[in-house]
Amino acid sequence: MDISTFQVSIPDSDLDSLRSRLSSATFPDELEDARWEMGAPLADVQRLVRYWKDGFNWRQSERDINTMPQFRTSIEVNEFDTLNVHFVHQQSIVPGAIPLLFCHGWPGSFLEVKKLLPLLTAGNHCLGNVTFHVVAPSLPNFGFSAGTKKRGFGLRQYAEACHKLMQKLGYVEYVTQGGDWGFHITRMMGLLYPDHCKVSHLNVAEGSAPSFSKHPILALEHLLTPYSTHERAGLGRTAHHRNTGMGYDILQQTKPQTIAYALADSPVALLAWIYEKLHEWTDDYPWTDDEILTWASIYWHSTAGPAASLRIYYESNHPMTGGLSYDRALSYISHVKYGVAHFPKDLTVLPNTWAATLGDVILQSRNPHGGHFAAVEHPEIIVRDLQAMLGKGGRAYNCPPKRRHPPSTRAAPPPSKPARPSALAKAHHISARTEAEIREAFALFAAPDPAAKHAAAASSHLLPASSLRRALLALACAPSSAAELTSLLEAADPTASGVISYEHFVAIAALKLQARGAEVRRGEVREAWGLFVGRGERVVGGRRGGGGGSGGEERDRGEEEGFQDEEEEDDTDERRITIADLRRVARELKEEVSEQVLGDMILEANGGRGVQRGVGVREFEGVMRRAGVFG
């Protein structure tokens, strides 16, 4: 299967060319007091351009992006060339995880999924009983996916490419999440592939009021039920955007080639074109200059070029024969269960009865804050809605049926040198990998320090004290009681300033993780060992033996001895298998490998000394490799 790992790595020559173009930029003048009403302010754009040229560290952005598991594969779209599609694929280690396709829009990218990944793929500590295998492609013509040179690549083709990607990864049935073009594309996936796309969560709704000819019951409800305060405000926001913010849309859906010359030639034009949307379409989200420039850079360095992404507007509004129109995505689609999250500063904010015309809408959440880029602004709300829909008691529970295991098409990560622990990591006796996980959890809920506006490092952010529990929850090490939380807050915020520095958060998280590691070690390592050694019976040479009486006592001693072996190995073996690996093995090996094969492998690992003695780390890792779990 032609799935290869991928890392973002822009050539130095491209970065030099970009800086040269920025150096020779010519800026327009600006009317007095123009502000945002006429577009991106001159002073803001000039500041961003100076920083893009002289201060912005794209290599750091690359490193941050490359913490996500990325791949490329070829996808054949009917009547078009085979396309090389880039995608993020983060699998959960939890059995029964649900495949989920995250679909971005414009001017977004695959990067929008980053904050969602730890929340969607984590175990029960974070998300109750529902977890996900997450796939987030760069849409064709976007990001690091290939573009097409042939007319007619519209909504049908985007939906086909995304569906075929999920099929190629082994996800026969799946759910979707999206906004902006993700709304239209995932809607088309439900229309075209109803046996596969079972549930969709949308962070925007587009449509119109229900009519008596198409939706008589909804129309009657709409007629008799007054709009709520939030719904009236939403209609006002929708009207405001249509009256003052649709210039880009009209141009891109009618004459995309004209604006393409500016965006392909001038990074300043591209930056201003995107920056205005990031400001206007969010709910006072505190964009840092590094975030803004990372988004713009992904478009500037995109495989197909920054202009290719505009064509979806034209192709969707001018479908060729056999294509699907933009309006079809606004009509009722059956066989799919929908959830809709309404955010007050999105571009279209509809009343509930309007959104209900989209299909079998089983959940609508009306949120007090948030805008167009929900996965960036409020990832926890998307996760909450998905939990409410697909978790126990939700109307989409067990729809689609949960997969027992991740697909077997995992690609091996590229060889790389292990990251060196920072001075902070060394001070708290944690690995570079653990610090990266702590940094990611911190970033989910932290905000930039106003005094360090241009800094990209986590140390330039501050975590609200009220978010400490949620940040620790993302690391699966939340405080066990209110008293413990109070104690942790006092330690993390010694000056009682209401905010927590990155350094203090690392100290607290390291202590919690180390405490949890020792606790989990005895419980979960025993559980994993016990599954292979046998509970109440033994597996010796592939045969089951009696487990009662003295035999049972012998098994207990063997388990304890095996655990001690593991403890001794742990002190001397630099390569340590993680709790996550043990969890996966404990659940997968038991069903995917017969007990006879498993028993033989353990016997071999122990030099024929019997399974009751237990298996140390090195031996157990050998068993896992033989079983194909580590590839």
Side-chain angles (χ1 to χ4, degrees), residues 39-93:
L42 177 60
D44 283 9
V45 174
Q46 288 177 325
R47 185 195 77 249
L48 286 166
V49 168
R50 284 194 300 271
Y51 183 51
W52 201 0
K53 177 171 65 75
D54 299 324
F56 175 62
N57 187 345
W58 167 251
R59 295 303 183 201
Q60 180 59 51
S61 292
E62 280 186 338
R63 287 189 287 272
D64 291 342
I65 292 169
N66 288 335
T67 60
M68 297 186 290
Q70 299 168 81
F71 305 87
R72 266 184 173 170
T73 192
S74 58
I75 299 292
E76 185 176 345
V77 178
N78 292 336
E79 300 182 7
F80 285 83
D81 295 334
T82 298
L83 298 173
N84 201 3
V85 174
H86 161 258
F87 61 99
V88 172
H89 186 197
Q90 179 71 66
Q91 295 174 333
S92 173
I93 63 170

Side-chain angles (χ1 to χ4, degrees), residues 61-388:
S61 292
E62 280 186 338
R63 287 189 287 272
D64 291 342
I65 292 169
N66 288 335
T67 60
M68 297 186 290
Q70 299 168 81
F71 305 87
R72 266 184 173 170
T73 192
S74 58
I75 299 292
E76 185 176 345
V77 178
N78 292 336
E79 300 182 7
F80 285 83
D81 295 334
T82 298
L83 298 173
N84 201 3
V85 174
H86 161 258
F87 61 99
V88 172
H89 186 197
Q90 179 71 66
Q91 295 174 333
S92 173
I93 63 170
V94 179
I98 298 171
L100 179 145
L101 176 90
F102 174 88
C103 192
H104 69 82
W106 184 92
S109 71
F110 70 95
L111 186 60
E112 292 178 73
V113 81
K114 193 171 190 296
K115 290 183 180 180
L116 285 171
L117 290 179
L119 301 178
L120 291 175
T121 61
N124 293 346
H125 295 281
C126 294
L127 303 177
N129 58 355
V130 184
T131 55
F132 300 88
H133 304 309
V134 182
V135 180
S138 289
L139 292 172
N141 298 309
F142 288 76
F144 303 109
S145 287
T148 178
K149 303 298 183 183
K150 184 179 176 181
R151 275 290 316 275
F153 199 95
L155 290 177
R156 178 184 292 275
Q157 288 71 33
Y158 281 101
E160 180 184 344
C162 291
H163 170 69
K164 286 184 173 178
L165 173 60
M166 295 300 281
Q167 300 296 284
K168 192 167 188 176
L169 293 173
Y171 298 131
V172 178
E173 295 181 329
Y174 51 83
V175 304
T176 64
Q177 200 291 316
D180 196 87
W181 283 113
F183 165 90
H184 297 275
I185 292 167
T186 60
R187 293 271 294 161
M188 293 301 95
M189 293 174 74
L191 175 68
L192 296 171
Y193 310 105
D195 293 334
H196 303 275
C197 181
K198 297 294 186 178
V199 181
S200 286
H201 180 267
L202 309 167
N203 54 271
V204 68
E206 297 185 33
S208 56
S211 65
F212 280 96
S213 60
K214 294 182 178 180
H215 307 282
I217 297 177
L218 277 177
L220 183 61
E221 180 184 349
H222 175 253
L223 182 66
L224 298 177
T225 306
Y227 292 142
S228 69
T229 301
H230 296 297
E231 289 175 323
R232 288 196 300 272
L235 287 173
R237 168 69 176 177
T238 303
H240 172 76
H241 173 69
R242 290 180 178 173
N243 291 332
T244 66
M246 292 291 288
Y248 81 99
D249 188 271
I250 295 170
L251 180 57
Q252 291 179 182
Q253 69 175 272
T254 56
K255 294 292 186 287
Q257 188 63 26
T258 301
I259 186 62
Y261 297 110
L263 303 189
D265 181 68
S266 170
V268 176
L270 176 68
L271 171 61
W273 199 244
I274 291 175
Y275 174 49
E276 179 215 318
K277 314 306 182 286
L278 300 184
H279 178 274
E280 292 292 285
W281 295 0
T282 53
D283 190 5
D284 293 326
Y285 179 76
W287 293 102
T288 66
D289 289 354
D290 292 279
E291 286 178 301
I292 295 165
L293 294 176
T294 297
W295 280 49
S297 294
I298 287 175
Y299 275 84
W300 182 257
H301 297 302
S302 61
T303 300
S309 63
L310 308 182
R311 295 172 188 140
I312 188 173
Y313 287 83
Y314 185 92
E315 299 288 10
S316 301
N317 285 278
H318 303 84
M320 300 183 73
T321 303
L324 292 169
S325 69
Y326 181 94
D327 291 337
R328 182 63 185 92
L330 312 184
S331 304
Y332 190 92
I333 294 176
S334 58
H335 308 299
V336 180
K337 297 183 184 300
Y338 287 100
V340 180
H342 301 276
F343 293 93
K345 290 299 180 68
D346 208 338
L347 313 185
T348 304
V349 190
L350 301 183
N352 285 6
T353 51
W354 295 34
T357 64
L358 295 173
D360 182 10
V361 178
I362 63 173
L363 178 144
Q364 295 196 55
S365 66
R366 198 159 289 275
N367 302 288
H369 306 289
H372 191 63
F373 304 105
V376 175
E377 297 177 73
H378 291 287
E380 73 282 358
I381 291 177
I382 292 178
V383 176
R384 180 203 66 195
D385 282 6
L386 287 167
Q387 289 292 309

Side-chain angles (χ1 to χ4, degrees), residues 494-541:
T495 61
S497 60
V499 291
I500 298 167
S501 69
Y502 175 67
E503 290 76 11
H504 280 113
F505 180 74
V506 170
I508 295 299
L511 286 173
K512 285 291 294 177
L513 287 171
Q514 288 161 4
R516 177 180 176 273
E519 177 183 314
V520 171
R521 187 184 191 79
R522 289 214 170 254
E524 296 194 30
V525 172
R526 277 180 177 277
E527 180 183 356
W529 256 247
L531 280 173
F532 307 126
V533 175
R535 291 192 181 280
E537 55 190 7
R538 292 183 295 151
V539 182
V540 181

